[in-house]
Every structure is written in structure tokens, then in C-alpha cells.
Amino acid sequence: MTIRLHDTNARQIRDFVPLTAGCVSIYLCGATVQAAPHIGHIRSGLNFDIMRRWFEYRGYDVTFIRNVTDIDDKIIRKSAEQGRPWWAIGYENERAFNAGYDALGCLPPTYEPRATGHITEMVEMMRGLIERGHAYEADGNVYFDVRSYEGYLELSNQDLDDLRQPSGDNETGKRDKRDFAMWKAAKPGEPSWETPWGRGRPGWHLECSAMAHKYLGSAFDIHGGGIDLIFPHHENEIAQAKAFGDEFAKYWVHNGWVTLAGEKMSKSLGNSVLVSEMVKQWRPIVLRYYLGTPHYRSMIEYSEESLREAESAFARIEGFVQRVVEKAGPVEAAAEVPPAFAEAMDDDLGVPQALAIVHTTVRQGNSALAADDKEAAVARLAEVRAMLGVLGLDPLDPHWAGESDRGEDLHGVVDTLVRLVLDQRQSARERKDWPAADAIRDQLNQSGLVIEDSPSGPRWTLGPR
């Protein structure tokens, strides 16, 4: 068994060989908490949640770090616009991110460090880089000298002479316009911390280099994030960490965007779809299916039509699960997933191919139900539950308990009303008034309910919208 991953730095799929046998260390660039999350933000968390689950299924002990950037230019700008403390805005949105991760079934990280809690580590890293000749102070700012590090731009595969390095306000005193800020001198009214070079605040890139070093050491296995972070963020992280003396990440794994009308989903474009609103319209488990089942490196073009297709596809899986449980009672997940599923997941987390095995197994299980082969149906459900568990999509998992009814508070009321109508339909069937019985069923279907006749009587579920 060998897991293979696409390494952005190597530009190819590589066999995964951990630094420590039986252990995996992962650092994921998490939320910048200037606003509540949209589904593009949460996709990254979902993709790496599935990666983590697969490593754990394969028997690895996983240390998973997902940081919180709780201070940056955007947060400070929001603070000025809203007349609220920067830390209040950050904490409010940090809670919104965690609510989104939790709603979509992401396992909590091993540690979730905040940038502002690691100023000491950042100062230590800057001091070391200055001593080694890789950084310098100017006007209270501290800059990284990009020409001092020979491997700069290897990740993004750019030419230094053509580089257009993003710069912020008040970045004065640079020796080279391509040098980037590790520490920004304090401005009046902005948050700041004391350092040997004066008061100021951290640059974005320094935060992650320092936190990865603290929690995972000088070398770790996997660094992850969205493809938009390759440059400048991840490129600058590498330069800082390696110039400091760290080996840093052995593998670089990046997920694709969620796009809308061909553009990356972002708040600045005004095309974001907030998770807090989406979970009011769609079941969270359906959102997880929609965002988590395409290949992590692919782009997802958002549309309600594609969400409805995901809802229908998951309903077929869920319907099979419910029917077997009704017939046979609770069924435990199998100890192992089918070999074809494992082969797909080992090959760069091939979730689309793995999901095809899930649907094939569901069809086999439905055929067993139709043939009244209870033993085969139970065996297929055990396999399905094992596979869905890896993907975080098992509807029988306690996390999703009660979620499938979309509005648990109203379920009892709706059930009572539907039962009254179903009793009328049953009366029509008993007197052989088939047109009336069919008309009642069709009206229920039009209202969004799916009626199935089972050996224990008619049952209803909410159908795809």
C-alpha cells in the first residue's frame, strides 16, 4: 500500500514517504478572519479533512495544524470602517469559520493556532534571518532579501527578473522592490507589538513560517492550501523557513477554486456564497457531497443546478441506506473498504473514482433488496458505510443524526399531516380506487415528498428540490 500525492513543487505525483514511519504531519493555511466564510473557503478545509481521514484509515497517526490569521490589512481596514476593535471582528469571523467547518462535518484540527499568539516566535525567526544575512530592518519594517535565497520562486516557477511582488502601504526603505515585508512598522491607531526594531505587526507570510516551525518542527510532511496561495504566500513561507535553517515541507498540495461565472469566488468580487446562508437552503451533508467529491485539484463551477444534481445523487445513496436499515436493523461499517475504492484513494485522493465504487455498490445493494436477498444487501451496506465514513458522508454517523430531515423541529408535525394523507391513499387502494390513490401520491410528489411502498407500509422522504 502506497499513497501517492501530487506535489506542486515537483510538478508530478509522488509516492508519499513520511518523515516518521506511521506518522503524518500536515500544515494547512486556514482562515483569514476578516469576514464570514463562503463555500470556496470551506472547500479547502473539506479537501484536507478527506486527506486526513484517508491517512487515518491507512493507519497513520495524523497531526493536523490549521492556523487562523487574525491580524492583517483587511481586518484592520474593516475595523476602521465599522468602528469596532480588530480583535472583535477577527473572533466573530473565526467562530463563523469553525461553525462552517463543523456544519460540514470536518474533524477539528489537532491544534488551531492564532497568528497574534505567536509574536515571540516571529521575532525569533526575524532575528535569525537578519543574523544570517537574509533579512534587514528599514524604517521600522523588516524585509526579506529575496536575492539572498537561491531557491526563491522554485515553487511558483517564476523568473526573479520578471517578478511583480505585491507591496502594502508604508513599505519604505526596501533595497529591492521585490523584497517582501516580514514585519510592518506601526501606524497611528493600528494594533502593534514591541520588537527590537520598534513597534509594528507581522506580515502574513511570516506568521505561517513561525507557527509551522513551532507546532511541527523544522521539517514536516505536507503543507496545503488553495492554489491562489502558491504565490506570494507559500513561496515566501519557503524562503523564510529554509533561509532560517528549516527543511520545512516535504510535499506541497494545493486544492482548486470554487468559481462563479468563471471567476474565483471571493468577497472582493462580490460573488461569494456564505456558508451560513447555504446551510439554510441545503442540507449540510449535501453541501459536503457537492464540495468534497470532485477531485481536490479540479475547479468547481458553482451553480444551483449542480447542487441539485449532487442532492439527487446523495439521495440515491441515502435511500439505499435507509431501506436496508428498515429491513435488517442497524448495520456496522465493514472493517475494510473495497479494494477498488482504496486503489482510487491511494492514487492522489481520487475521490471521483472512489465515489463511482460507492454508487456501484449501492446499485448492487438495491438489486439485492429487489431480490429479497437480505444477506447480500446487508453486506453491501457495510461496505457503503465504510466508504462513506472515509469521505465523511455516512448518514448514520452521529454527526449527521437528525440532519437528514431538514428541520427536525417540524418533522413530527409534517409526519402527522403526511400520515393523514397516506391513510386516505391507503383507503383508496383498499377500495381499488387506483386513480384516487395515484392522484394523492402525485400530489405529494409535487410537494417535494417521495412516497415508497415498503413491506411495513408506505414511507415518505424529502425528495430533491
Side-chain angles (χ1 to χ4, degrees):
M1 174 274 297
T2 301
I3 295 176
R4 307 176 72 234
L5 295 172
H6 184 273
D7 180 3
T8 304
N9 193 47
R11 293 170 184 79
Q12 63 181 350
I13 294 177
R14 298 172 55 201
D15 289 352
F16 176 77
V17 180
L19 289 167
T20 302
C23 299
V24 180
S25 47
I26 303 172
Y27 185 95
L28 173 63
C29 283
T32 298
V33 288
Q34 85 273 14
H38 57 63
I39 58 174
H41 293 128
I42 297 298
R43 183 195 180 184
S44 180
L46 271 175
N47 289 151
F48 286 90
D49 182 66
I50 292 172
M51 172 191 284
R52 174 192 184 172
R53 287 170 183 264
W54 184 244
F55 273 121
E56 289 179 344
Y57 171 82
R58 281 304 199 190
Y60 288 94
D61 181 11
V62 179
T63 300
F64 181 60
I65 310 299
R66 186 182 67 211
N67 76 293
V68 175
T69 298
D70 60 340
I71 187 70
D72 81 334
D73 293 339
K74 295 175 182 176
I75 295 172
I76 293 171
R77 189 160 53 247
K78 287 283 182 69
S79 174
E81 291 170 355
Q82 298 177 17
R84 300 173 60 207
W86 62 271
W87 43 263
I89 292 171
Y91 184 59
E92 175 183 277
N93 292 311
E94 180 183 338
R95 287 170 61 94
F97 267 88
N98 283 327
Y101 291 132
D102 184 62
L104 271 64
C106 294
L107 300 172
T110 310
Y111 305 109
E112 191 168 28
R114 295 190 186 105
T116 55
H118 298 79
I119 302 299
T120 299
E121 289 81 2
M122 296 179 206
V123 170
E124 290 176 357
M125 182 166 279
M126 285 188 287
R127 183 183 288 115
L129 288 168
I130 290 173
E131 291 172 353
R132 292 170 174 80
H134 293 292
Y136 57 94
E137 183 272 337
D139 300 334
N141 302 295
V142 178
Y143 298 110
F144 186 90
D145 180 355
V146 297
R147 288 190 177 275
S148 73
Y149 175 62
E150 186 176 349
Y152 191 57
L153 300 180
E154 287 183 356
L155 181 69
S156 56
N157 197 29
Q158 299 183 78
D159 190 308
L160 184 60
D161 292 332
D162 297 330
L163 182 64
R164 297 292 181 268
Q165 181 79 263
S167 291
D169 297 335
N170 206 37
E171 291 189 6
T172 60
K174 282 187 179 183
R175 297 174 184 172
D176 187 314
K177 64 181 180 181
R178 289 160 291 200
D179 294 346
F180 61 87
M182 302 170 64
W183 190 261
K184 301 184 179 186
K187 295 182 189 178
E190 289 190 352
S192 62
W193 290 261
E194 189 61 63
T195 75
W197 313 283
R199 294 193 67 84
R201 61 183 175 84
W204 178 29
H205 318 303
L206 177 63
E207 298 170 353
C208 285
S209 296
M211 288 188 285
H213 178 89
K214 178 176 178 64
Y215 291 94
L216 297 176
S218 62
F220 57 96
D221 292 306
I222 298 168
H223 196 311
I227 58 170
D228 53 317
L229 300 181
I230 294 174
F231 182 85
H233 187 46
H234 288 166
E235 195 73 75
N236 293 351
E237 277 189 64
I238 293 171
Q240 293 165 152
K242 291 199 170 184
F244 183 70
D246 288 354
E247 294 181 43
F248 212 49
K250 190 174 180 182
Y251 298 82
W252 286 85
V253 179
H254 292 92
N255 63 276
W257 291 335
V258 178
T259 61
L260 183 61
E263 293 185 276
K264 174 196 170 189
M265 188 171 287
S266 70
K267 296 180 181 69
S268 61
L269 292 175
N271 60 8
S272 59
V273 183
L274 296 181
V275 176
S276 58
E277 295 303 313
M278 294 293 287
V279 295
K280 296 175 184 177
Q281 305 171 49
W282 302 89
R283 292 170 54 202
I285 198 169
V286 169
L287 282 176
R288 183 180 177 99
Y289 184 97
Y290 171 68
L291 293 170
T293 54
H295 193 275
Y296 74 90
R297 288 193 285 123
S298 67
M299 299 296 181
I300 300 176
E301 175 71 11
Y302 171 78
S303 71
E304 285 207 3
E305 180 182 358
S306 57
L307 254 170
R308 284 193 293 270
E309 290 172 356
E311 185 180 46
S312 297
F314 186 73
R316 290 193 291 273
I317 297 173
E318 193 172 37
F320 164 68
V321 173
Q322 292 171 343
R323 285 189 290 274
V324 177
V325 170
E326 285 182 356
K327 187 178 185 66
V331 176
E332 292 297 319
E336 296 183 0
V337 298
F341 181 95
E343 182 179 356
M345 292 297 291
D346 282 340
D347 187 11
D348 195 30
L349 303 177
V351 174
Q353 294 78 13
L355 192 64
I357 306 302
V358 174
H359 283 285
T360 296
T361 308
V362 166
R363 287 193 293 271
Q364 293 170 347
N366 282 327
S367 296
L369 284 173
D372 202 25
D373 187 344
K374 179 179 173 180
E375 183 178 350
V378 167
R380 298 295 79 75
L381 176 55
E383 293 172 346
V384 167
R385 287 202 66 192
M387 293 185 283
L388 293 179
V390 167
L391 301 177
L393 288 167
D394 181 1
L396 300 181
D397 186 281
H399 178 83
W400 304 112
E403 184 268 346
S404 62
D405 295 316
R406 273 198 234 132
E408 187 67 20
D409 292 343
L410 291 176
H411 182 266
V413 175
V414 175
D415 185 64
T416 299
L417 294 173
V418 173
R419 291 294 168 192
L420 289 173
V421 179
L422 290 177
D423 287 345
Q424 294 176 11
R425 177 173 175 260
Q426 183 61 27
S427 296
R429 287 165 60 89
E430 289 174 356
R431 64 176 183 267
K432 302 190 185 305
D433 188 352
W434 309 119
D438 291 344
I440 292 172
R441 182 197 60 206
D442 293 343
Q443 287 175 344
L444 289 172
N445 286 341
Q446 289 173 12
S447 71
L449 300 173
V450 176
I451 306 304
E452 296 179 80
D453 293 309
S454 70
S456 59
R459 60 187 294 273
W460 66 272
T461 57
L462 286 171
R465 60 197 76 195

